[in-house]
Amino acid sequence: MEKGLYNAAYEHDACGVGMVVNIHGNKSHELVDNALKVLENMRHRGAEGADNKTGDGAGIMLQIPHEFILLQGIPVPEKGKYGTGLVFLPKDEQRQAAILSVMIEEIEREGLSLMHLRTVPTCPECLGEAALQTEPAIRQVFVTGVTDDRVPTFERTLYKIRKRIERRVADSDFYVCSLSSKNIVYKGMLSSMQLRRYFPDLTNSYFTSGLALVHSRFSTNTFPTWSLAQPFRLLAHNGEINTIRGNRGWMQARESVLGSEALGDIQELSPIVQPGMSDSASLDNVLEFFVMSGLSLPHAMALMVPESFNDKNPISEDLKAFYEYHSILMEPWDGPAALLFSDGKFAAQQAAIICPAQLHALPDAQREGLGRQRVDLPADNRLGCQHRRRRHNGFPHFAPLLGSEMSARIVAQMRLCEKVHRKSFRFGVYRRGGMV
């Protein structure tokens, strides 16, 4: 998409990212508040306009606040049996109606229903002039009607619905921030200091989560927009994808030969990489596609962003075989300085060796804070964070939240990748010393 000298293909980011996790899975509003403080302490990592009010973008990814939704008078079913997310719509009512008609049609095509459409409370008074001129109408959708036997694949169904809607709607003011039964994303063309004020939902004491990813955007030589704010559906990214042109081209070339039993006809979901978006958005598109196709989140990320290794930075032969095999399937997305990613069940961080991230472990051993650089929780350090600096270039910290099949712990990169590649050994995909 070209407009004069501007070309959307050159959209890049250089941003601030942070994550706060309760590794026991306990939800609280305190965690949400701490995550917003992390974001506010990263104001220097984001950019603002000359008016000091128009931000390049800021956002937060949280687990769906079930109790908060019920208190809004919305009769949703039990957790995991409904999907929800924020949607940006044009303010023109006729265009809105046309888009909603498509959304309802695609939702009903899967035997589900658009149960409720909530107008998300906002505070536009805090916006700068440029952000206010392009401010969308923000609605929260609720999708219900999933049967018990389809709950295990509900997340995949919501993904297919969203991709089909995106394929049919060409309105530039339309964007789905997220549509999930686990996560919800609040974001916009905001500064780090504005997110809390713009979305009053985030300050409600009943809005709770056990996980939070935050992002402050610095749009590198390009234009900020509401849709390009982060986090995206699975990740928040700091850095630039240096190989983005090749990555997009190869992914587009593969679409004609891709097949997935889980997703069905891939052509209905194309393009996998949404055009006119940033490098970070393209990375998120492909990561999401792999996860919805059946790969685990860490497996998909290891496939796309393998760690670097050489004689001075050796890895085991098993890990080397893992990366060599997957290099046949996907070329590396090279360049990220730091990636935080989550599917609402796991939360993880990947950082380049030249850009060490830092772990803040709180004394009660219940929360873990990961930041692109030192960020106190809060600024005066009253929470007593202990600070450790580590240099890693793979998956330094992987923190699964409490669930039926997992324990509350932080898993280091080596253990994580070994767990993934042992699974591949069991199915005979490849073996140490060569492919089979």
Side-chain angles (χ1 to χ4, degrees):
M1 181 177 64
E2 295 189 26
K3 295 181 180 179
L5 296 177
Y6 169 74
N7 189 332
Y10 298 112
E11 282 284 358
H12 287 80
D13 314 286
C15 321
V17 291
M19 177 169 69
V20 182
V21 178
N22 185 305
I23 62 173
H24 297 292
N26 299 325
K27 295 184 177 184
S28 68
H29 181 68
E30 181 187 11
L31 186 143
V32 177
D33 184 64
N34 282 337
L36 291 171
K37 290 175 182 175
V38 169
L39 179 64
E40 290 160 358
N41 288 339
M42 290 193 296
R43 181 178 183 180
H44 59 290
R45 294 295 304 176
E48 296 177 359
D51 59 4
N52 290 326
K53 292 184 69 179
T54 300
D56 271 16
I60 185 169
M61 178 198 293
L62 301 155
Q63 292 174 316
I64 293 173
H66 183 67
E67 292 76 13
F68 169 79
I69 291 170
L70 290 175
L71 288 170
Q72 305 311 302
I74 304 170
V76 292
E78 60 186 278
K79 296 178 183 178
K81 289 192 174 182
Y82 65 94
T84 186
L86 269 57
V87 178
F88 294 161
L89 294 167
K91 291 189 173 180
D92 181 79
E93 292 185 2
Q94 287 188 339
R95 292 163 64 195
Q96 265 192 44
I99 293 171
L100 290 173
S101 176
V102 172
M103 293 179 66
I104 291 170
E105 186 177 327
E106 291 298 338
I107 290 169
E108 291 180 348
R109 179 179 171 184
E110 291 289 341
L112 305 173
S113 61
L114 181 60
M115 186 267 286
H116 187 76
L117 190 68
R118 174 181 179 243
T119 299
V120 179
T122 59
C123 181
E125 293 80 13
C126 70
L127 297 178
E129 183 178 351
L132 191 60
Q133 288 176 352
T134 57
E135 181 191 24
I138 305 178
R139 304 288 184 264
Q140 184 175 2
V141 298
F142 292 88
V143 178
T144 59
V146 62
T147 55
D148 291 342
D149 60 311
R150 296 180 64 191
V151 169
T153 59
F154 187 37
E155 199 72 9
R156 185 176 295 133
T157 301
L158 293 172
Y159 169 74
K160 291 163 68 175
I161 289 170
R162 197 198 81 228
K163 292 298 288 184
R164 288 171 183 152
I165 293 170
E166 290 173 348
R167 181 180 171 89
R168 292 181 58 185
V169 177
D171 197 308
S172 60
D173 291 329
F174 169 73
Y175 180 78
V176 182
C177 297
S178 64
L179 184 59
S180 171
S181 61
K182 301 175 182 177
N183 284 353
I184 189 165
V185 175
Y186 283 75
K187 69 176 187 177
M189 193 171 157
L190 310 164
S191 69
S192 298
M193 307 301 291
Q194 291 172 338
L195 185 69
R196 184 194 299 266
R197 184 180 173 192
Y198 184 75
F199 289 112
D201 284 359
L202 300 176
T203 60
N204 189 299
S205 60
Y206 292 99
F207 198 114
T208 62
S209 179
L211 168 152
L213 271 63
V214 293
H215 187 277
S216 176
R217 186 173 190 239
F218 191 106
S219 177
T220 313
N221 299 322
T222 52
F223 299 121
T225 66
W226 284 79
S227 60
L228 291 181
Q230 298 187 44
F232 291 110
R233 285 94 186 205
L234 288 178
L235 62 80
H237 170 225
N238 169 48
E240 296 185 0
I241 308 298
N242 301 321
T243 56
I244 188 62
R245 188 174 180 182
N247 294 133
R248 286 170 173 160
W250 279 112
M251 202 64 211
Q252 184 177 5
R254 289 189 188 99
E255 285 192 14
S256 62
V257 295
L258 284 175
S260 170
E261 292 183 7
L263 292 174
D265 186 2
I266 301 299
Q267 296 306 310
E268 291 187 357
L269 310 179
S270 68
I272 294 169
V273 177
Q274 194 172 359
M277 301 295 282
S278 66
D279 57 342
S280 304
S282 298
L283 177 68
D284 182 80
N285 287 159
V286 179
L287 176 64
E288 187 181 30
F289 172 76
F290 282 136
V291 171
M292 296 305 168
S293 297
L295 291 184
S296 68
L297 183 59
H299 192 165
M301 184 56 73
L303 184 156
M304 294 180 64
V305 190
E307 59 182 309
S308 61
F309 56 89
N310 50 40
D311 292 339
K312 293 184 179 180
N313 180 40
I315 61 174
S316 71
E317 289 299 315
D318 287 339
L319 277 175
K320 190 180 295 184
F322 173 87
Y323 290 128
E324 287 176 349
Y325 171 78
H326 285 91
S327 67
I328 303 171
L329 308 176
M330 169 65 65
E331 64 288 334
W333 292 62
D334 183 58
L339 285 166
L340 304 182
F341 48 100
S342 173
D343 60 1
K345 181 179 178 181
F346 296 98
Q349 180 239 9
Q350 189 263 20
I353 193 168
I354 60 172
C355 299
Q358 300 178 5
L359 171 68
H360 300 259
L362 295 174
D364 59 9
Q366 291 184 343
R367 290 180 297 274
E368 298 289 342
L370 285 167
R372 167 64 181 82
Q373 54 190 29
R374 184 171 183 116
V375 180
D376 294 324
L377 294 170
D380 60 8
N381 207 28
R382 279 181 299 207
L383 292 176
C385 297
Q386 296 175 349
H387 169 249
R388 289 180 287 167
R389 185 182 184 93
R390 298 181 179 181
R391 294 180 67 215
H392 283 288
N393 60 318
F395 289 80
H397 311 291
F398 186 79
L401 301 184
L402 185 63
S404 58
E405 74 279 15
M406 66 192 75
S407 60
R409 66 190 188 279
I410 295 179
V411 183
Q413 169 263 342
M414 184 66 72
R415 289 174 58 196
L416 170 65
C417 287
E418 286 176 351
K419 180 179 179 181
V420 172
H421 74 58
R422 272 201 298 268
K423 181 177 180 181
S424 295
F425 279 130
R426 289 201 301 271
F427 289 96
V429 177
Y430 70 93
R431 68 172 176 230
R432 180 176 173 178
M435 294 85 176
V436 290

